[in-house]
Amino acid sequence: MRILGIESSCDETGLAIYDTEKKSLLGHVLYSQVGMHAEYGGVVPELASRDHVRKLLPLLRQLFEDCNISQSDIDGVAYTRGPGLIGALMVGSAFAKSLAFGLDIPTLGVHHMEGHLLAPLLEERQPKVPFLALLVSGGHTQIVHVKVIGEYHLLGTTIDDAAGEAFDKTAKMMGLDYPGGPLLAKLAEQGDVNRFKFTRPMVDRPGIDMSFSGLKTQVLTTFRRTEQTEQDKADVAAGFQKAIVDTLVIKCKRALEQTGVNQLVVAGGVGANKALRQTLTQMMTDRGGEFFAPNLAFCTDNGAMIAFAGALRMQAGQKDSDFSISPTARWPLEALPPIAVT
Ligand code: KG4
Ligand code: ZN
């Protein structure tokens, strides 16, 4: 089966084709709207929807050309059904359904976070169940127990801001451009991690839940007390990043101990963070366990993860019941049906 995947939940339009016989991606294309939203300091949902409308068809044509196949070679269309910005999801869903209706092939609405979670399985070196997944994106921060692919048990989550959101908001406060996460991470590389010591939120009490909104305020107060030179900025960024990384690592350790699992996967935009990847690698090596991460290109939003997650489920016979368009802004990962064994 060749499954076309379409991602349009936020500010990236991503399309890809996954071939289940070859067990590989045939190609993927991505257009990022960040340049457009940068002017406003954040994603403007209405503009995001309109831009997905503009980009989907040209990107699809380019993808077919890159893969050297035509639309009749596609067996199904997987698209991000949620969670995400409702207008942006609606554009991707309507596009997917119309295309599939015209080609008389099935569709499947994919959970965006399952896409992220499964992205490490696109690599040659792969985790085997059971494993834990640290999902860290702009909208979610979750630690998930994966006993079987397709069934997800939430062990811990943020009670307020997501890790990516904390990166973006802190970066904005420090006057960095949007999206601030990667820029703040770059700045942190030049900083002294020992100059400012920020709180590791919620590590002094038991449990795996997290909180990142207070940290942001603490960082702002500290930043305002400095002269705000480039070095001050870099040192604050380094201290902030270390606090986030340490907190995530402490919570992952607890989850590993609680479950007795010894394989860990990181996924989602913040999974591209070098310091986080290095620290998690070290932590898993020290425990005699294994660490897995997606290719950097597949950490942030992309079509490949949707094509792959959709392909796994469609291969197991799952599909949408009809061509009605039903995106959903909120959708708990635990509500997903299991993937039947074929
Ligand atoms: O997964 P993603 O592309 O979109 C969502 O599903 O939200 O994640 C985007 C988030 C943003 O908050 C962005 O600032 C953050 O991931 N991000 C990073 C890095 N690259 C992306 N945060 C820290 N360090 C990075 N290198
Ligand atoms: Zn995402």
Side-chain angles (χ1 to χ4, degrees):
M1 276 167 94
R2 289 190 183 120
I3 303 299
L4 168 67
I6 300 175
E7 156 61 29
S8 75
S9 66
C10 191
D11 57 351
E12 254 103 31
T13 322
L15 291 93
I17 298 171
Y18 186 82
D19 188 319
T20 59
E21 271 94 60
K22 290 188 177 152
K23 292 192 187 306
S24 73
L25 275 179
L26 298 186
H28 71 101
V29 289
L30 184 77
Y31 175 79
S32 174
Q33 305 177 350
V34 292
M36 182 180 75
H37 298 295
E39 203 183 314
Y40 304 91
V43 178
V44 183
E46 177 63 25
L47 295 184
S49 310
R50 292 179 193 201
D51 213 45
H52 288 306
V53 171
R54 277 192 288 271
K55 294 297 179 328
L56 276 165
L57 196 53
L59 282 172
L60 179 65
R61 291 207 173 105
Q62 188 193 324
L63 179 64
F64 282 144
E65 215 177 287
D66 292 355
C67 298
N68 206 14
I69 61 171
S70 72
Q71 55 190 34
S72 55
D73 298 317
I74 299 297
D75 302 295
V77 184
Y79 60 95
T80 305
R81 180 170 167 241
L85 302 172
I86 195 68
L89 292 168
M90 215 167 313
V91 174
S93 306
F95 184 83
K97 297 269 180 165
S98 317
L99 181 69
F101 182 75
L103 295 173
D104 196 22
I105 55 175
T107 59
L108 181 69
V110 170
H111 193 295
H112 181 79
M113 297 312 292
E114 180 177 53
H116 275 305
L117 193 154
L118 297 179
L121 300 181
L122 283 163
E123 301 306 304
E124 224 164 86
R125 197 182 139 262
Q126 300 184 358
K128 291 205 170 56
V129 288
F131 62 84
L132 294 193
L134 171 64
L135 300 180
V136 269
S137 70
H140 293 78
T141 296
Q142 299 175 331
I143 298 177
V144 178
H145 189 181
V146 185
K147 290 185 192 160
V148 179
I149 301 288
E151 287 182 63
Y152 308 112
H153 179 59
L154 191 63
L155 298 174
T157 185
T158 176
I159 57 165
D160 41 55
D161 289 354
E165 196 177 354
F167 263 96
D168 293 340
K169 286 180 176 170
T170 305
K172 197 171 180 178
M173 282 171 353
M174 290 170 62
L176 305 182
D177 285 340
Y178 170 84
L183 294 178
L184 195 147
K186 189 113 205 78
L187 197 58
E189 286 176 20
Q190 319 299 323
D192 172 5
V193 281
N194 296 314
R195 182 167 160 208
F196 300 110
K197 173 106 177 150
F198 298 113
T199 321
R200 275 69 177 140
M202 288 177 72
V203 300
D204 54 349
R205 55 180 117 154
I208 299 172
D209 282 342
M210 295 154 275
S211 158
F212 295 111
S213 83
L215 178 62
K216 183 184 63 198
T217 318
Q218 197 188 12
V219 172
L220 177 65
T221 314
T222 305
F223 180 60
R224 284 199 178 136
R225 283 204 202 110
T226 69
E227 287 174 15
Q228 305 185 5
T229 62
E230 281 310 301
Q231 194 57 50
D232 290 335
K233 271 193 191 177
D235 293 346
V236 170
F240 164 80
Q241 178 174 267
K242 183 90 171 69
I244 296 256
V245 169
D246 282 356
T247 308
L248 292 172
V249 170
I250 290 168
K251 297 291 175 168
C252 284
K253 256 192 202 166
R254 278 188 197 170
L256 291 162
E257 271 149 27
Q258 184 180 306
T259 53
V261 170
N262 223 4
Q263 292 181 89
L264 178 71
V265 153
V266 73
V270 186
N273 186 278
K274 243 193 250 170
L276 178 61
R277 287 166 89 109
Q278 280 167 2
T279 319
L280 288 173
T281 306
Q282 190 59 52
M283 187 262 284
M284 290 312 286
T285 309
D286 293 347
R287 297 175 61 87
E290 282 189 277
F291 175 67
F292 303 85
N295 184 309
L296 280 183
F298 300 144
C299 276
T300 42
D301 291 349
N302 63 85
M305 66 186 199
I306 303 302
F308 179 65
L312 283 190
R313 288 187 175 274
M314 291 184 100
Q315 209 179 2
Q318 295 182 20
K319 58 180 179 174
D320 289 342
S321 53
D322 56 34
F323 287 107
S324 64
I325 294 156
S326 57
T328 171
R330 293 183 194 283
W331 187 8
L333 193 58
E334 286 174 300
L336 289 179
I339 300 178
V341 182
T342 48

